[in-house]
């Protein structure tokens, strides 16, 4: 896998193109006609302009709403290793990710570029991915360039949300245990990757004393506010989820890389 989820190596990825991999359990692309029909249904204005490659592995190129769409079907495994950071960080979301993906037989590279901005590109990418999963029964899951790794059963409902940005697809999270003695109670630290592509600073968390699942909900809620509701956050503002206690947000240098981040201090 080409991207790294270790926050120490995080760098701002280019917002000009967005790329995802779809892993398939079966080899051979006998469903090329179904794929072409699915793309035509998903992008009706481009239906007559979808160019299908002539190689044995189907490829598709077309322009939709000013976005250049490219889908390459590769009848071979994608380069994977059990030590890839994505597998470590997907452990709680997809515990059997390596077991299910290590013997995948083929994959698709789905890319979009251009359009009216990064959110527009993201929604078109979601549209293409939804079309692929709808006609590819052997699809196992998806990997996005920011470092996310999601199983089919989780990603399909996200792709069915229409015009809503699927944050779980685009924003990855790194979690680790805080050093012993760093806080009065044992805590979790976290760092995101992917928000910078949408024009926002990343989010980091210090001293969270609950579960990773609860912390993930906090992070997604704040990320949604930043991207969908366009929260304007100043240094020292507070943020709360549901009936939870407000948490102070500071703007400070990242723990891991040379950039400023929104940091939530739970202790």
């Amino acid at each position: 896998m080409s991207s790294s989820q270790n926050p120490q190596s995080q760098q701002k990825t280019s917002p000009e193109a967005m790329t995802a991999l779809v892993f398939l359990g079966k080899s051979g692309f006998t469903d090329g006609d179904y794929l072409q029909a699915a793309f035509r249904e998903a992008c009706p204005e481009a239906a007559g302009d979808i160019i299908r490659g002539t190689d044995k592995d189907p490829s598709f190129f077309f322009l939709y709403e000013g976005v250049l769409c490219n889908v390459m079907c590769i009848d071979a495994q994608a380069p994977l290793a059990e030590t890839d950071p994505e597998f470590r960080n997907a452990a709680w979301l997809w515990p059997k990710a390596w077991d299910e993906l290590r013997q995948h037989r083929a994959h698709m590279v789905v890319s979009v570029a251009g359009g009216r901005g990064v959110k527009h590109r993201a929604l078109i990418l979601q549209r293409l991915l939804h079309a692929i999963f709808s006609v590819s029964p052997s699809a196992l899951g998806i990997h996005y360039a920011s470092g996310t790794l999601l199983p089919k059963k989780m990603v399909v409902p996200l792709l069915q949300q229409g015009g809503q940005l699927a944050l779980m697809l685009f924003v990855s999270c790194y979690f680790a245990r805080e050093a012993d003695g760093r806080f009065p109670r044992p805590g979790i630290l976290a760092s995101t990757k992917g928000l910078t592509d949408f024009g926002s600073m990343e989010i980091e968390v210090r001293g969270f004393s609950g579960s990773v699942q609860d912390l993930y909900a906090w992070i997604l809620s704040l990320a949604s506010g930043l991207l969908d509701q366009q929260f304007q956050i100043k240094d020292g503002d507070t943020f709360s989820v549901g009936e939870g206690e407000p948490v102070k947000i500071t703007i400070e240098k990242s723990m891991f890389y040379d950039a400023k981040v929104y940091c939530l201090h739970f202790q």
Side-chain angles (χ1 to χ4, degrees):
M1 295 168 114
S2 60
S3 66
S4 172
Q5 176 57 23
N6 185 338
Q8 294 186 8
S9 64
Q10 282 192 25
Q11 297 178 355
K12 181 178 178 181
T13 56
S14 170
E16 297 305 318
M18 309 180 84
T19 301
L21 301 184
V22 177
F23 303 101
L24 304 175
K26 294 183 179 180
S27 60
F29 285 97
T30 57
D31 56 357
D33 291 339
Y34 294 107
L35 278 171
Q36 188 168 18
F39 293 142
R40 285 174 171 167
E41 182 177 352
C43 306
E45 293 85 349
D49 301 319
I50 296 177
I51 301 173
R52 178 174 172 178
T54 57
D55 294 337
K56 65 181 183 66
D57 297 341
S59 59
F60 303 90
F61 302 88
F62 55 96
L63 193 67
Y64 179 67
E65 294 185 358
V67 176
L68 180 62
C69 304
N70 180 13
V71 180
M72 294 185 293
C73 304
I74 302 173
D75 196 10
Q77 290 185 322
L80 296 178
E82 190 173 5
T83 55
D84 287 340
E86 288 82 358
F87 287 106
R88 181 181 67 247
N89 292 303
W92 68 279
L93 277 172
W94 192 358
K96 296 182 179 180
W98 173 248
D99 291 337
E100 295 182 25
L101 291 180
R102 64 179 176 174
Q103 295 182 343
H104 76 280
R105 290 317 200 194
H107 66 286
M108 298 185 191
V109 181
V110 187
S111 300
V112 294
R116 300 190 298 271
V118 64
K119 187 173 180 179
H120 182 221
R121 286 191 290 276
L123 293 175
I124 300 300
L125 179 60
Q126 291 177 203
R127 184 185 292 259
L128 299 182
L129 292 171
H130 183 262
I132 289 170
F133 277 94
S134 69
V135 296
S136 301
S138 75
L140 301 171
I142 192 169
H143 169 252
Y144 180 67
S146 69
T148 57
L149 189 63
L150 299 174
K152 178 179 181 178
K153 66 180 181 181
M154 186 173 292
V155 76
V156 168
L158 296 175
L159 298 174
Q160 292 174 336
Q161 296 177 6
Q164 184 175 345
L165 196 63
L167 286 178
M168 288 181 66
L169 173 61
F170 299 106
V171 180
S172 64
C173 292
Y174 166 84
F175 300 96
R177 189 179 72 177
E178 295 276 13
D180 292 340
R182 178 65 180 82
F183 293 101
R185 301 184 303 278
I188 301 171
L189 65 83
S191 179
T192 67
K193 183 178 180 182
L195 288 172
T196 51
D197 288 353
F198 293 88
S200 169
M201 289 188 290
E202 301 290 352
I203 298 169
E204 291 185 357
V205 172
R206 301 303 308 271
F208 187 80
S209 58
S211 67
V212 169
Q213 290 87 342
D214 289 342
L215 177 52
Y216 192 52
W218 269 88
I219 290 171
L220 287 181
S221 181
L222 179 55
S224 176
L226 291 169
L227 301 187
D228 291 333
Q229 303 172 46
Q230 299 185 335
F231 282 177
Q232 300 297 316
I233 297 177
K234 302 185 297 297
D235 188 45
D237 283 351
T238 60
F239 180 75
S240 61
V241 175
E243 297 180 357
E245 290 293 324
V247 177
K248 183 179 180 181
I249 301 176
T250 59
I251 297 175
E252 55 190 72
K253 187 179 182 298
S254 168
M255 297 179 287
F256 304 108
Y257 51 96
D258 187 20
K260 294 238 179 126
V261 296
Y262 295 117
C263 191
L264 280 67
H265 295 267
F266 284 86
Q267 295 186 62

